[in-house]
Amino acid sequence: MTAASLSDLDAFMAVARARGFRGAAVARGVSPSALSTAVRRLEARMGVRLLNRTTRSVTPTEAGERLMERLAPVLAEVEGALDAVNAFRDSPTGTLRLSVPSAVARFILPSIATAFLARHPGIVLEVSADDAFIDVVAGGFDAGIRYDERLERDMIAVPIGPRVQRFVTAAAPAYLARNGRPEHPDDVLRHAAVRHRFASGHMPVWEFEKDGAVVKVRPEGPIIASSIDLEVAAAEAGLGLIYSFEGLLTPSIAAGRLVRVLEDWEQDFPGPRLYFPSRRLMPAPLRAFVDFVKAESS
């Protein structure tokens, strides 16, 4: 058996991680047929099928899974070694892939990203907005941003953006005129609510805190959505109270389309963290981003 080329191995990893040729091709900037040819060539050289292909999906075989496990750290080290040359540039080049929650993509990352890219014009930033907790290594990302989740032991985490944030509750002036203002979190149960559902299906409780007392409620209401745009529009139309990140509701509150309620019960929580694998050779675009974030926060 002849030795497999590094490019064919890399193509296999891209397709296996993306669970499809089209998605991997878009991420790599090549054609699906080029990746398909590379994977077929690799399978022919190894004498074993690595991917199960159907019209709807592509999944690794048992042999493919085993190869992925062994290849991931090796390819990461190869990429890191090649990328080390970037350290000698005045400004590094390459692609930085981030997985972030939708709220971060909406009101925290834009100002950080634009300032970072202005300083490093040779870097391409790819951002995937996903509220699920992502294994950044398995997903092919360089780093992720999340709120106060448990991180694996081999992850490094640094604060990014505001150190403290809060959830706020608000409603349209017309809704409050019809139904009155809630004065205590328990009053929320007597109001209609615009509720949020994550892609996982989880619907968070509304949590309030004052003088050490914590109150959690699960209100009912006429609309449940996974889109903050739809939720804000519904609240502005007077369909009920809305409970969300302060940054997402601030524009509507500032414009008078929503009115803040239960302000003395608002709960603070730690801001997001940038997390990434601990490795000896960090990709130059990621190193530049980490250094930028640390400098901005100092």
Side-chain angles (χ1 to χ4, degrees), residues 233-294:
E236 290 180 351
L239 293 185
L241 304 175
I242 185 171
Y243 174 88
S244 189
F245 288 98
E246 181 180 28
L248 294 178
L249 301 185
T250 294
S252 297
I253 294 172
R257 297 187 297 270
L258 293 177
V259 176
R260 208 159 171 163
V261 298
L262 295 172
E263 292 180 76
D264 55 344
W265 281 91
E266 291 173 353
Q267 185 180 58
D268 294 341
F269 59 94
R273 292 179 294 166
L274 172 71
Y275 70 99
F276 47 92
S278 173
R279 47 179 141 171
R280 184 170 54 85
L281 296 173
M282 184 184 295
L286 177 57
R287 166 56 64 192
F289 188 64
V290 171
D291 290 343
F292 178 83
V293 168
K294 288 182 176 178

Side-chain angles (χ1 to χ4, degrees), residues 103-126:
V104 170
R106 182 89 177 235
F107 69 91
I108 292 179
L109 193 58
S111 60
I112 296 174
T114 52
F116 171 71
L117 293 174
R119 185 172 299 180
H120 298 287
I123 293 177
V124 175
L125 181 63
E126 290 186 11

Side-chain angles (χ1 to χ4, degrees), residues 150-164:
R150 292 173 56 192
L151 301 179
E152 298 296 331
R153 291 182 179 178
D154 61 346
M155 291 289 172
I156 298 173
V158 297
I160 183 171
R163 293 295 179 271
V164 177

Side-chain angles (χ1 to χ4, degrees), residues 91-115:
S91 178
T93 62
T95 299
L96 174 62
R97 298 177 177 87
L98 298 179
S99 170
V100 308
S102 56
V104 170
R106 182 89 177 235
F107 69 91
I108 292 179
L109 193 58
S111 60
I112 296 174
T114 52

Side-chain angles (χ1 to χ4, degrees), residues 39-245:
V39 172
R40 285 201 305 269
R41 184 166 55 236
L42 178 61
E43 289 177 327
R45 284 175 175 169
M46 301 191 71
V48 63
R49 178 175 288 275
L50 299 172
L51 298 174
N52 289 317
R53 306 162 177 83
T54 70
T55 56
R56 293 189 175 186
S57 66
V58 175
T59 57
T61 63
E62 184 177 355
E65 290 279 6
R66 185 67 60 83
L67 182 59
M68 286 181 69
E69 293 174 3
R70 300 295 296 272
L71 272 181
V74 174
L75 289 179
E77 283 296 312
V78 170
E79 290 175 1
L82 294 175
D83 194 62
V85 177
N86 251 334
F88 293 93
R89 297 178 181 270
D90 292 333
S91 178
T93 62
T95 299
L96 174 62
R97 298 177 177 87
L98 298 179
S99 170
V100 308
S102 56
V104 170
R106 182 89 177 235
F107 69 91
I108 292 179
L109 193 58
S111 60
I112 296 174
T114 52
F116 171 71
L117 293 174
R119 185 172 299 180
H120 298 287
I123 293 177
V124 175
L125 181 63
E126 290 186 11
V127 179
S128 175
D130 191 331
D131 289 320
F133 187 74
I134 299 296
D135 182 334
V136 292
V137 176
F141 297 99
D142 296 298
I145 300 175
R146 288 296 183 274
Y147 283 93
D148 199 28
E149 279 93 353
R150 292 173 56 192
L151 301 179
E152 298 296 331
R153 291 182 179 178
D154 61 346
M155 291 289 172
I156 298 173
V158 297
I160 183 171
R163 293 295 179 271
V164 177
Q165 294 183 257
R166 64 178 55 88
F167 289 111
V168 304
T169 310
Y175 174 87
L176 295 176
R178 293 193 311 268
N179 300 279
R181 295 174 64 97
E183 301 297 336
H184 186 277
D186 288 341
D187 296 341
V188 171
L189 297 174
R190 294 188 285 274
H191 283 263
V194 176
R195 293 176 291 171
H196 180 76
R197 173 179 284 152
F198 289 106
S200 64
H202 173 64
M203 288 177 54
V205 299
W206 293 18
E207 188 167 329
F208 303 89
E209 183 177 4
K210 181 181 179 181
D211 299 330
V214 176
V215 179
K216 299 180 181 181
V217 298
R218 288 187 180 275
E220 300 294 330
I223 185 168
I224 301 170
S226 299
S227 164
I228 188 59
D229 291 326
L230 178 57
E231 293 161 39
V232 170
E236 290 180 351
L239 293 185
L241 304 175
I242 185 171
Y243 174 88
S244 189
F245 288 98

